[in-house]
Amino acid sequence: MCGIIGCNGVEGAASAITQGLERLEYRGYDSAGIAIIDNKKIRYEKKKGRISVLIKALKTQSDFVGSIGIGHTRWATHGKPSDENAHPHISGKFAVVHNGIIENYRQLKEKYLKLVSLKSDTDTEIIVQLLNRLYSGNCLETLSNTAKLLEGSFAIAVLCEDEPDTLYCVRKSSPLLIGVGNGVYAASDLSAINDRIHTLYRMNDGEIAVISKTEAEFYTFDKKKIVKNPEEFEKAESNCGKENYEHYMLKEIYEQPAAVQKTVDAYLENNKFRLDFELNKPERIYIVACGSAYHAGLAGKRIFEELLKIPVIVQVASEFRYSNPLINENTPTIIISQSGETADSLAALREAKSRGAKTLSIVNVRHSSIAAESDYVLLTRAGQETAVATTKAYSAQLAALYMLGIYFAEKFGTADSKTTEKLKSQLETLHTAILSALDCEMQIKELAQQLQSAEHIYFIGRGLGYAAACEGSLKLKEISYIHCEAYAAGEMKHGTISLIEKGTNVIAADTEPKLSPKLQSNIDEVVARGARVTAITSQGKIKADSVIKTPAVNELFAVSTQIVPLQLLSYHIARLRGCDIDKPRNLAKSVTVE
Ligand code: G6P
């Protein structure tokens, strides 16, 4: 949510920054801006709209040159998307870009900036106005004094005309990485700078980076120097482009077999797990996440309870963190997050740790805050995911949860070895079933034609089918803007069935054979009221207006195959409706604010 980038000692800083911004655009795309120091003067440009609008505006300016600069792509929190509210914000000799929220900005304005008339509606402008107001002639000192006044979350990059060869960065609770290569870079995530650097540092909360043309020094907010070791990192994959696909989302749907295979292969070889989590059988387990990761957690709950025979509580992170959760040192807490930076999930992790729980994160981004702060990490191997609507990372999360379920069942002795051995060998070939599930695309395209004008679509399922329904519904609503609701099929008759009338579309996910007769009854109930039902099933016993067959897999893994037609359906409906599939309105891929 908001992407920031900065660089120093880089020939053609403006183009390095705009290139980085294009890679960060998934974090927010309602406006963008850039500032550089050219001949000791700050020059800047900022525009409402996509990065492409900013780049077009920069092209009309012949002399936008300099080797130091900062850039920003915005997801609006305070103040609507507009040129004025776009970053950078400027005051006196300072330019600032910011990712996060300054929670006490009204109080700071009242106390320190009463007479200042602000140019924007943003919380960020308070930072730059404070820097200008508190400026002592020493940037580090002023930044340290300012940072100590700010409450909330912030990753900030700062330019000051008095120090035209130094870039400053500050971090508290919002991600920021520093990389050294041909010049020195700062960025919200590695993808923006990966190909430009050979050494990587991760900023921690409460740190200031002082960046020269060749190196970075780190300080606490009290200006005490910190010695920091570089992090290991992998150079960018070469297949980060769209290749021949029309959208990243479709490419990533097709990358799911590989994402699942790589994730499983990383931790399971010859039916043996390469996992080492020191946990005794607990009384219960918490799973905490947001969005699709939460939906993966819903499937995880069902699988864990089946295999571990202990209660599993799944909670959305924004609720968990304020719910006084019933956890202690005997309640392991699993955090699931593609980005590893989701603010609520990170706060939930910290909450669980503060209560003594052992924490285990399932993350896709190695250098993320959640990975860094967890006791144990299971890294999914989905590779970089660019479309805002997650597909392959979600599938990799499911695979990670299957592995954990089987691993813990073996470790705690809660399932017999015949069962766990069979599950492990089935898991090793799950990617081939996902590959076959992709064969349904032609049928899905026809279904998308029929459903493209629907105003409402209901998704129903039982057991793991309900978990699949939740994710299918979220996928469709987020990229097509059709109102969708997911319901536990048996619960429809307690209210929601009143919305079913002639022609209402219902999609049913049939995952567990023992629940199929019950699901069929629920399908019949909505059909009796005029609904048009599409069923996703591997069994062929379900009767509905349309049936999409998925490959037969162990019922515990069925969400992994059934989600494929649901993702493709969302994609094709959104495409027919002319939606901006990879960057849906109002959303961002990495949600780093509460
Ligand atoms: C955003 C994304 C979703 C994602 C959720 C959680 O809402 O658009 O696709 O599921 O955040 O993100 P995380 O990175 O924690 O998995």
Side-chain angles (χ1 to χ4, degrees):
M1 204 152 264
C2 296
I4 67 177
I5 182 162
C7 67
N8 193 7
V10 176
E11 215 42 56
S15 94
I17 289 168
T18 50
Q19 272 172 29
L21 286 180
E22 282 175 321
R23 295 185 194 165
L24 291 173
E25 199 172 15
Y26 71 86
R27 301 179 71 93
Y29 31 81
D30 56 44
S31 49
I34 177 172
I36 55 156
I37 299 187
D38 178 12
N39 212 6
K40 300 197 177 165
K41 283 273 162 249
I42 286 174
R43 296 202 49 207
Y44 69 97
E45 180 64 272
K46 48 188 193 166
K47 285 277 170 213
K48 179 182 168 186
R50 300 282 161 91
I51 313 281
S52 53
V53 179
L54 174 71
I55 292 175
K56 211 163 148 200
L58 289 173
K59 278 194 183 134
T60 62
Q61 307 196 22
S62 50
D63 52 350
F64 218 89
V65 288
S67 63
I68 180 170
I70 55 180
H72 188 267
T73 178
R74 181 168 186 248
W75 186 90
T77 57
H78 295 71
K80 64 179 187 203
S82 67
D83 288 358
E84 297 72 36
N85 290 335
H87 302 205
H89 291 280
I90 314 286
S91 178
K93 297 179 175 193
F94 292 95
V96 165
V97 291
H98 163 224
N99 166 28
I101 290 182
I102 306 303
E103 289 170 354
N104 60 338
Y105 77 101
R106 285 196 183 86
Q107 294 90 313
L108 292 171
K109 162 85 174 107
E110 186 60 25
K111 187 160 176 196
Y112 296 96
L113 304 165
K114 237 181 171 158
L115 301 176
V116 175
S117 66
L118 300 178
K119 296 177 214 127
S120 75
D121 309 316
T122 65
D123 53 333
T124 303
E125 194 186 343
I126 297 299
I127 306 172
V128 77
Q129 296 291 2
L130 269 179
L131 287 171
N132 188 36
R133 162 91 169 69
L134 303 179
Y135 188 40
S136 62
N138 178 321
C139 267
L140 180 58
E141 183 180 74
T142 310
L143 257 182
S144 130
N145 291 336
T146 304
K148 284 192 266 186
L149 294 175
L150 303 176
E151 286 171 16
S153 60
F154 46 91
I156 304 168
V158 181
L159 297 177
C160 176
E161 287 178 348
D162 283 349
E163 293 190 34
D165 294 325
T166 311
L167 166 68
Y168 288 91
C169 290
V170 187
R171 174 190 159 143
K172 191 189 145 215
S173 296
S174 292
L176 203 50
L177 298 167
I178 308 296
V180 183
N182 202 358
V184 188
Y185 298 83
S188 302
D189 85 44
L190 184 59
S191 64
I193 54 174
N194 187 305
D195 54 348
R196 294 176 177 270
I197 64 167
H198 51 67
T199 307
L200 177 73
Y201 298 96
R202 202 177 154 275
M203 285 186 75
N204 293 317
D205 283 355
E207 291 181 358
I208 300 174
V210 181
I211 297 169
S212 72
K213 287 176 189 296
T214 52
E215 60 183 7
E217 288 182 342
F218 299 91
Y219 296 86
T220 64
F221 282 3
D222 288 322
K223 292 178 289 165
K224 290 201 181 75
K225 202 160 174 189
I226 302 164
V227 180
K228 201 179 264 292
N229 292 323
E231 305 251 322
E232 279 181 24
F233 74 104
E234 283 163 24
K235 290 305 275 181
E237 300 162 33
S238 51
N239 67 339
C240 285
K242 247 188 276 180
E243 294 165 20
N244 291 327
Y245 291 92
E246 199 177 332
H247 297 96
Y248 279 105
M249 183 178 176
L250 190 62
K251 174 178 176 248
E252 288 161 2
I253 288 173
Y254 274 86
E255 284 173 347
Q256 292 184 108
V260 167
Q261 185 177 14
K262 281 186 189 162
T263 303
V264 172
D265 285 357
Y267 297 103
L268 180 61
E269 195 182 2
N270 297 330
N271 261 18
K272 288 218 165 3
F273 283 116
R274 275 193 298 250
L275 291 168
D276 191 14
F277 302 138
E278 280 173 34
L279 293 175
N280 295 321
K281 186 181 171 194
E283 276 172 28
R284 59 180 176 275
I285 293 176
Y286 264 89
I287 299 180
V288 186
C290 302
S292 296
Y294 167 74
H295 294 154
L298 289 179
K301 170 187 166 71
R302 170 82 185 83
I303 292 154
F304 279 28
E305 288 183 343
E306 182 75 29
L307 296 175
L308 309 184
K309 323 270 187 287
I310 51 176
V312 176
I313 299 147
V314 194
Q315 225 174 350
V316 288
S318 53
E319 290 297 318
F320 172 90
R321 62 186 290 192
Y322 297 116
S323 67
N324 202 3
L326 301 173
I327 56 175
N328 56 29
E329 54 284 358
N330 296 319
T331 323
T333 302
I334 299 174
I335 308 287
I336 311 172
S337 173
Q338 185 284 128
S339 63
E341 297 295 352
T342 302
D344 285 320
S345 303
L346 179 58
L349 168 80
R350 290 174 178 166
E351 179 64 35
K353 280 185 96 168
S354 74
R355 288 166 187 255
K358 278 265 175 284
T359 54
L360 192 168
S361 63
I362 297 174
V363 291
N364 196 44
V365 180
R366 183 190 291 260
H367 301 285
S368 58
S369 306
I370 291 176
E373 294 187 28
S374 303
D375 295 308
Y376 301 108
V377 180
L378 198 161
L379 198 64
T380 49
R381 308 295 163 116
Q384 187 180 326
E385 194 178 58
T386 304
V388 165
T390 181
T391 51
K392 62 175 180 170
Y394 165 80
S395 284
Q397 287 163 355
L398 287 176
L401 286 159
Y402 303 155
M403 283 195 284
L404 277 183
I406 306 165
Y407 168 76
F408 285 136
E410 281 182 341
K411 197 175 164 75
F412 304 154
T414 50
D416 61 72
S417 61
K418 210 168 134 211
T419 305
T420 54
E421 290 306 310
K422 194 167 145 208
L423 284 170
K424 279 190 284 185
S425 51
Q426 289 172 335
L427 186 53
E428 281 188 301
T429 55
L430 179 62
H431 62 278
T432 57
I434 297 173
L435 186 65
S436 309
L438 289 161
D439 290 344
C440 68
E441 191 173 4
M442 283 314 290
Q443 196 187 352
I444 289 291
K445 276 186 179 172
E446 281 169 28
L447 185 61
Q449 294 277 0
Q450 292 168 30
L451 295 183
Q452 61 170 309
S453 310
E455 282 180 28
H456 315 276
I457 300 183
Y458 295 89
F459 289 72
I460 58 172
R462 283 174 170 261
L464 283 164
Y466 173 60
C470 288
E471 177 57 9
S473 164
L474 178 65
K475 270 311 68 108
L476 184 54
K477 79 175 88 159
E478 68 182 333
I479 62 167
S480 73
Y481 317 140
I482 293 174
H483 167 240
C484 300
E485 270 188 57
Y487 250 80
E491 187 65 11
M492 285 289 280
K493 56 186 163 296
H494 297 292
T496 305
I497 203 164
S498 68
L499 298 172
I500 303 292
E501 54 189 5
K502 191 166 185 296
T504 306
N505 285 291
V506 174
I507 298 177
D510 171 40
T511 48
E512 298 180 56
K514 64 178 175 298
L515 298 175
S516 297
K518 306 284 172 203
L519 180 65
Q520 183 68 63
S521 302
N522 302 135
I523 290 174
D524 294 344
E525 285 156 13
V526 293
V527 167
R529 282 144 186 98
R532 200 198 158 278
V533 178
T534 301
I536 317 278
T537 179
S538 63
Q539 304 168 61
K541 286 188 191 146
I542 288 280
K543 300 275 173 285
D545 296 284
S546 327
V547 174
I548 313 277
K549 281 274 288 182
T550 50
V553 287
N554 185 301
E555 61 179 314
L556 290 182
F557 304 153
V559 178
S560 291
T561 45
Q562 300 216 341
I563 201 59
V564 172
L566 295 176
Q567 294 165 337
L568 285 168
L569 184 64
S570 308
Y571 173 80
H572 284 292
I573 290 178
R575 192 174 167 280
L576 289 170
R577 288 166 69 95
C579 297
D580 191 346
I581 293 177
D582 287 335
K583 296 193 181 86
R585 71 183 179 207
N586 302 342
L587 298 180
K589 189 157 187 68
S590 184
V591 181
T592 53
V593 295
E594 262 196 52

